[in-house]
Amino acid sequence: MGAAIVMGADKQSHDTEIACLPAAEKIVAETPPGSEEALLSDGEFVKLANQFLVPVLVQDEVDAMVVMSLSLEVEPGTTSEVFHLEPKIRDKFLQILFDHANKGHFGSGYTSNRSLEILRNALRAAAQDITRGKTRDVLIVEIAKQ
């Protein structure tokens, strides 16, 4: 089982706390009220437990593998509900990632803004559908092509 790091500011002393949690549990970045970060997002983050591995085929042979780690930004208080939907989310995300690869989007420009925007939009739409609108965004936290 993986682990995630949760960092938050102590509201009184603003010291940083670090705690280990099983992966896919919520990761909440606590920020002082009124701070710029607090104004930008009051959502919670769900780190999906395992990386996604996507084969990149060239002429029906595996040419490379794309490895990705994804997190979901969800509405406050919905982390547990979204966590229970992770198997459905992973299944749909894999289908989208395979389609993305089959369309050639994991080629030489796979990290271009346009390519990542196409992928992120498809993943976000799927997550919002599965979670009934409780997902605000999908974050690509790691991506590598090997």
Side-chain angles (χ1 to χ4, degrees):
M1 179 182 300
I5 295 177
V6 177
M7 298 180 71
D10 182 333
K11 287 183 176 59
Q12 292 178 350
S13 66
H14 299 294
D15 291 334
T16 301
E17 297 177 5
I18 299 177
C20 290
L21 295 175
E25 286 192 19
K26 75 177 180 181
I27 299 173
V28 180
E30 296 182 23
T31 56
S35 70
E36 184 175 332
E37 294 85 8
L39 297 175
L40 294 175
S41 173
D42 62 348
E44 297 175 354
F45 296 89
V46 176
K47 179 177 172 43
L48 299 182
N50 298 309
Q51 294 176 322
F52 290 84
L53 302 174
V54 184
V56 178
L57 302 176
V58 174
Q59 298 178 354
D60 294 328
E61 292 192 21
V62 176
D63 182 60
M65 294 291 288
V66 173
V67 182
M68 301 180 74
S69 294
L70 302 172
S71 291
L72 304 177
E73 181 181 4
V74 299
E75 294 294 328
T78 63
T79 302
S80 180
E81 182 180 345
V82 171
F83 174 70
H84 289 299
L85 294 170
E86 185 177 6
K88 282 187 164 195
I89 293 168
R90 289 188 68 81
D91 177 64
K92 187 63 175 178
F93 279 13
L94 277 173
Q95 181 182 12
I96 291 167
L97 291 167
F98 293 154
D99 288 346
H100 193 76
N102 290 333
K103 291 176 184 174
H105 291 294
F106 285 130
S108 62
Y110 79 102
T111 59
S112 72
N113 285 341
R114 181 67 183 136
S115 183
L116 291 177
E117 179 183 346
I118 291 167
L119 179 58
R120 196 176 283 112
N121 288 341
L123 294 171
R124 183 184 313 109
Q128 288 172 339
D129 183 51
I130 294 167
T131 64
R132 295 181 180 95
K134 294 175 179 75
T135 300
R136 292 180 174 182
D137 205 359
V138 174
L139 296 98
I140 300 172
V141 293
E142 290 181 86
I143 185 168
K145 185 174 169 184
Q146 303 173 345

